Amino acid sequence: MVEVLCHSSIKITEDAIIYIDPFKINEEYHDADYIFFTHSHYDHFSPEDIEKVRKKNTVFIVTEDIKEKAENLFGEENIFAVEPNESYHVSGLDFKTTYAYNVNKAFHPKENRWVGYIIQTNHKTYYIAGDTDNIEEIRDIECDEALIPIGGTYTMNYKEAAELANTIKAKIVIPTHYGSIVGDKEDAIKFKELVKDKEVKILIK
């Protein structure tokens, strides 16, 4: 099961419990087997919210610019740094990293080497795009469920996101990165109307 808790804060509950960019967490869960981070912006790497979901043996998957801060906050054990466009097997979980960057704005430059993820569980393959525009490197993605930002300003807007959704091979597409800092549910509805031949799930209410 996949949930979009808020903005780009995602929880996948299967054999393991996986969080991506936990943010504005309302309860003390302390159930995370893995926490993935796409980049270091405050709405994606939030120590306050990490504390609410991590437990003793949580595995942290971080970008290089987060690694030192994460080690200082949470200890050096179980923290693994990644680069874009690589494959990994960490603590029993297979995943790949993708590029995630802006092409016409300066918020997420390519040289920062921030990432999206393709996470392979025992049941499904999830693509979490991170904060990105519709870039060439991600247009051949294949997955069961794709979580794509639609809010504009810092990422793709809903039209650009729909173009990507119509290009990649995904069974289900889920819009993210709206409803809190940028974008609103109307963007999600417009996104859904533009996506063809795929199921669209709107999970941010």
Side-chain angles (χ1 to χ4, degrees):
M1 180 179 70
V2 61
E3 302 169 78
V4 183
L5 304 175
C6 145
H7 192 55
S8 290
S9 179
I10 296 160
K11 182 179 184 180
I12 297 169
T13 304
E14 289 196 9
D15 299 322
I17 293 179
I18 302 167
Y19 287 85
I20 301 93
D21 295 343
F23 181 59
K24 292 189 176 180
I25 301 297
N26 294 326
E27 299 180 34
E28 299 277 344
Y29 291 103
H30 302 295
D31 59 351
D33 294 301
Y34 304 87
I35 308 177
F36 286 77
F37 302 95
T38 60
H39 64 292
S40 57
H41 285 163
Y42 77 94
D43 52 330
H44 296 263
F45 183 80
S46 169
E48 174 187 357
D49 294 296
I50 295 166
E51 287 290 358
K52 293 178 181 178
V53 301
R54 80 180 186 105
K55 59 184 183 180
K56 183 177 179 181
N57 297 318
T58 297
V59 176
F60 296 81
I61 310 298
V62 303
T63 49
E64 281 288 350
D65 60 331
I66 293 174
K67 185 173 186 287
E68 184 176 355
K69 185 174 183 180
E71 288 176 345
N72 290 336
L73 287 169
F74 310 117
E76 296 183 7
E77 191 176 1
N78 292 331
I79 293 178
F80 299 89
V82 298
E83 295 279 344
N85 198 35
E86 298 288 348
S87 296
Y88 296 90
H89 180 83
V90 175
S91 297
L93 187 66
D94 291 310
F95 62 92
K96 298 177 181 179
T97 52
T98 65
Y99 282 95
Y101 62 87
N102 295 140
V103 293
N104 57 2
K105 39 194 175 284
F107 303 109
H108 305 90
K110 186 175 183 180
E111 56 265 29
N112 283 8
R113 301 186 66 76
W114 291 337
V115 301
Y117 293 100
I118 302 171
I119 301 173
Q120 179 67 60
T121 71
N122 290 332
H123 305 282
K124 290 183 178 180
T125 303
Y126 297 92
Y127 169 50
I128 296 91
D131 280 12
T132 188
D133 287 330
N134 182 355
I135 55 176
E136 183 177 354
E137 293 94 332
I138 60 176
R139 292 174 188 159
D140 61 351
I141 295 288
E142 296 185 22
C143 61
D144 293 303
E145 301 194 21
L147 293 97
I148 299 174
I150 68 164
T153 305
Y154 306 106
T155 70
M156 295 177 273
N157 60 34
Y158 73 87
K159 291 181 181 178
E160 295 162 333
E163 290 175 3
L164 176 63
N166 289 329
T167 301
I168 64 175
K169 295 180 180 178
K171 298 173 184 175
I172 296 170
V173 182
I174 300 168
T176 66
H177 210 275
Y178 70 94
S180 177
I181 297 171
V182 291
D184 54 36
K185 188 173 180 181
E186 188 64 29
D187 291 323
I189 294 170
K190 292 176 181 176
F191 169 78
K192 184 174 183 177
E193 291 171 350
L194 293 175
V195 175
K196 302 173 183 177
D197 303 320
K198 293 178 177 72
E199 181 182 355
V200 176
K201 289 185 177 180
I202 298 175
L203 300 184
I204 300 176
K205 304 302 181 183

